[in-house]
Amino acid sequence: DQQVKQNSPSLSVQEGRISILNCDYTNSMFDYFLWYKKYPAEGPTFLISISSIKDKNEDGRFTVFLNKSAKHLSLHIVPSQPGDSAVYFCAASDYGGSQGNLIFGKGTKLSVKP
Amino acid sequence: GAGVSQSPRYKVAKRGQDVALRCDPISGHVSLFWYQQALGQGPEFLTYFQNEAQLDKSGLPSDRFFAERPEGSVSTLKIQRTQKEDSAVYLCATSTRGNSPLHFGNGTRLTVT
């Protein structure tokens, strides 16, 4: 049974608009969440993270929102750019932020059209 | 280089052969992780080292999989008697101690024929 779920395999957005990528989790022990971005033939690259003591973390065009009661997090990219086209993985940990064994979702492929 | 380096980038093995995959971590990164990523899936945890100590190997799928990091730097993931279901991208990731992001290498794509 998947503990981290990304139910949308793909998302297409126009350049300049907002991209919203969603992630749901089942394990209430998770206390640290991360988003990674992956280009073809490359390894995942860390994008942004959030601890369970917060409900929002922002870094430039990227914002992650956490709703603990719904066991749901989302990544907002505003404005979206063609270079943002990649696969985005949501990941979770129950190691209090020390990374440890990350549980990844299956990923959402984002396409940003010029 | 500045990043995590993995070799080879691609490996084709016949079923039953043994393979060895290498990971050169970022200098000074004490934590090292191996992940397996099957086609269309997210990375799945295999094993974790802190320096030379293998602290968690709960994700290794069978006793055909073995990882080592004898001097606390370079790590090797060995797969004995490869099977078709072992075909995947094997990712190595490293980090400094504590709350810091994982830095992934570009992976080794293993194809077992």
Side-chain angles (χ1 to χ4, degrees):
Chain A
D1 186 34
Q2 272 204 298
Q3 297 187 68
V4 176
K5 299 178 185 178
Q6 293 178 258
N7 292 319
S8 298
S10 63
L11 174 67
S12 184
V13 170
Q14 204 67 31
E15 181 179 6
R17 307 294 290 267
I18 184 171
S19 294
I20 300 177
L21 296 98
N22 293 303
C23 178
D24 297 291
Y25 61 96
T26 58
N27 187 342
S28 58
M29 298 299 292
F30 287 149
D31 58 5
Y32 193 63
F33 303 89
L34 310 92
W35 285 93
Y36 281 82
K37 174 180 178 179
K38 186 182 182 303
Y39 292 118
E42 295 184 9
T45 303
F46 170 73
L47 198 55
I48 192 168
S49 63
I50 187 167
S51 164
S52 60
I53 63 173
K54 296 185 174 182
D55 55 17
K56 176 182 175 181
N57 189 25
E58 192 171 352
D59 183 1
R61 298 185 296 113
F62 302 91
T63 303
V64 57
F65 295 93
L66 175 62
N67 182 333
K68 288 187 293 292
S69 60
K71 293 192 179 69
H72 177 83
L73 64 155
S74 60
L75 174 68
H76 292 211
I77 306 173
V78 184
S80 302
Q81 299 173 354
D84 296 330
S85 297
V87 177
Y88 289 78
F89 290 99
C90 171
S93 167
D94 60 1
Y95 277 71
S98 65
Q99 298 283 313
N101 174 355
L102 290 182
I103 309 297
F104 283 85
K106 291 186 177 183
T108 296
K109 183 175 182 179
L110 173 66
S111 299
V112 180
K113 310 279 187 208
Chain B
V4 177
S5 178
Q6 291 188 247
S7 60
R9 284 300 312 274
Y10 304 93
K11 176 69 179 177
V12 179
K14 290 188 177 179
R15 189 164 58 95
Q17 281 184 331
D18 298 348
V19 298
L21 313 179
R22 178 186 169 108
C23 174
D24 284 82
I26 294 172
S27 178
H29 280 200
V30 300
S31 298
L32 185 146
F33 302 80
W34 284 98
Y35 283 81
Q36 179 191 58
Q37 185 176 14
L39 191 63
Q41 304 294 315
E44 291 193 5
F45 170 81
L46 293 177
T47 187
Y48 160 52
F49 290 85
Q50 187 165 308
N51 295 306
E52 69 278 3
Q54 189 174 19
L55 299 185
D56 187 347
K57 53 182 180 179
S58 62
L60 295 176
S62 78
D63 59 8
R64 297 185 296 104
F65 287 71
F66 172 76
E68 61 184 5
R69 194 185 185 197
E71 296 177 1
S73 180
V74 171
S75 177
T76 305
L77 176 67
K78 297 179 179 178
I79 309 173
Q80 297 177 323
R81 304 181 304 282
T82 52
Q83 303 295 314
K84 285 196 173 183
E85 60 264 27
D86 300 334
S87 296
V89 175
Y90 290 85
L91 293 163
C92 176
T94 69
S95 73
T96 57
R97 255 186 240 272
N99 185 7
S100 59
L102 291 185
H103 296 262
F104 282 86
N106 288 334
T108 294
R109 179 177 294 278
L110 172 66
T111 303
V112 181
T113 61

